Amino acid sequence: MPSSDTAEQSVLSKDAVLVAALAYLVFDLFNTWDGFRECPSPIHKWLLGSYLIVITMRLISIGVSLMTYAKSSTHALLDLRQKSRGLRVLVSLTWWVIVPLILMWTAMGTKFTWQVLTQKPDCMPSPLHLLFVILWQLVCYAWLLFYCGLGAMAWFLERRLRRTEQDFRDLADPEMEQRWGDMSTLEGYTALPRAMASQGMAPGEILLLPGVHLCSAELAATDQDCSICLNNWQAGDQLRQLSVCGHTFHRSCVDLWLLRS
């Protein structure tokens, strides 16, 4: 596994290459600016705007990585419940401003490119510039697809979080909260149980299961424990005996286990 210093050097090297490439593209664009004036659409202005969007995207990505001490900002963009105010601002800026701007700007660039190709394909300074515009369009669509996929994953995880929280709320009672704490509000998608909301039993099904009874003083004196939380049964605890296997647990423990398993 590479060390953190090696990873940081790799990121810095990529940033240096990106900055150098963008600097050359901007330099070339300004040197050939007048050569685009005969084009039926301001394709050169669109190119300049797209370069600025790329720079903004990278600055936001670096900012998110620095705030999360992560190698990549991808995981941070998936989490819509950031604790840090700065991270919330950057993540919201990405999803509510940058991504829609990429969509709008790419669509505008496609229109401009089509106008150039169909009306005056020789209006650019050289054939290489026309080829570059087409390739740059493809790159913009690749970025758009990547962020759309990332946004769909973030939406899916947030939807699963809300469903999981609702399952916890439907099942929770004072005894469960006393034993396990408040589980109705999760910090983020990393707190999601792996199998929950898809493979476990529904809260309504769990609540209808038979076998619930109070632990008597005689049963508590047997010094038996719950094999889930490993605590002894106390008189007055709510227990649940599973009819399938005959084993008995704290009701609050086994209900959560059935929900998550």
Side-chain angles (χ1 to χ4, degrees), residues 49-253:
S50 65
Y51 299 156
L52 295 177
I53 291 175
V54 171
I55 293 173
T56 303
M57 287 169 54
R58 189 53 198 161
L59 288 176
I60 292 176
S61 179
I62 293 173
V64 171
S65 297
L66 290 176
M67 289 184 182
T68 56
Y69 302 100
K71 297 178 182 178
S72 173
S73 61
T74 302
H75 293 295
L77 292 177
L78 288 174
D79 191 353
L80 303 181
R81 302 187 178 191
Q82 298 291 345
K83 292 182 179 180
S84 166
R85 183 177 180 181
L87 273 175
R88 287 199 303 271
V89 169
L90 291 179
V91 171
S92 297
L93 183 64
T94 298
W95 293 124
W96 295 106
V97 178
I98 299 299
V99 174
L101 182 60
I102 295 174
L103 176 60
M104 180 194 70
W105 206 256
T106 302
M108 184 185 301
T110 303
K111 177 183 177 182
F112 289 169
T113 304
W114 179 253
Q115 289 174 346
V116 170
L117 287 173
T118 56
Q119 297 178 27
K120 200 171 184 181
D122 57 346
C123 68
M124 294 191 180
S126 72
L128 287 178
H129 285 83
L130 179 60
L131 178 61
F132 173 78
V133 168
I134 296 174
L135 292 176
W136 188 253
Q137 279 281 315
L138 295 176
V139 171
C140 289
Y141 276 110
W143 281 331
L144 187 60
L145 288 175
F146 171 77
Y147 277 97
C148 285
L150 201 63
M153 180 61 71
W155 174 83
F156 169 79
L157 291 172
E158 178 62 25
R159 183 172 177 269
R160 190 180 172 202
L161 268 172
R162 294 184 182 186
R163 180 181 172 186
T164 301
E165 289 172 341
Q166 185 60 50
D167 286 346
F168 279 135
R169 284 191 288 269
D170 291 342
L171 200 62
D173 60 12
E175 181 179 340
M176 185 177 293
E177 291 181 356
Q178 181 180 5
R179 190 175 300 278
W180 295 103
D182 182 15
M183 303 181 66
S184 62
T185 303
L186 301 177
E187 293 183 356
Y189 74 91
T190 55
L192 279 170
R194 292 182 180 179
M196 192 168 169
S198 59
Q199 301 176 15
M201 295 180 64
E205 296 174 335
I206 296 172
L207 293 174
L208 292 176
L209 289 175
V212 177
H213 59 279
L214 291 178
C215 180
S216 62
E218 293 79 7
L219 184 58
T222 62
D223 202 29
Q224 299 184 58
D225 61 17
C226 171
S227 58
I228 295 177
C229 69
L230 303 181
N231 290 323
N232 291 337
W233 298 338
Q234 302 295 327
D237 286 350
Q238 287 193 19
L239 306 179
R240 184 189 294 279
Q241 184 179 27
L242 298 180
S243 57
V244 176
C245 61
H247 294 156
T248 301
F249 310 87
H250 285 124
R251 185 198 56 76
S252 57
C253 296

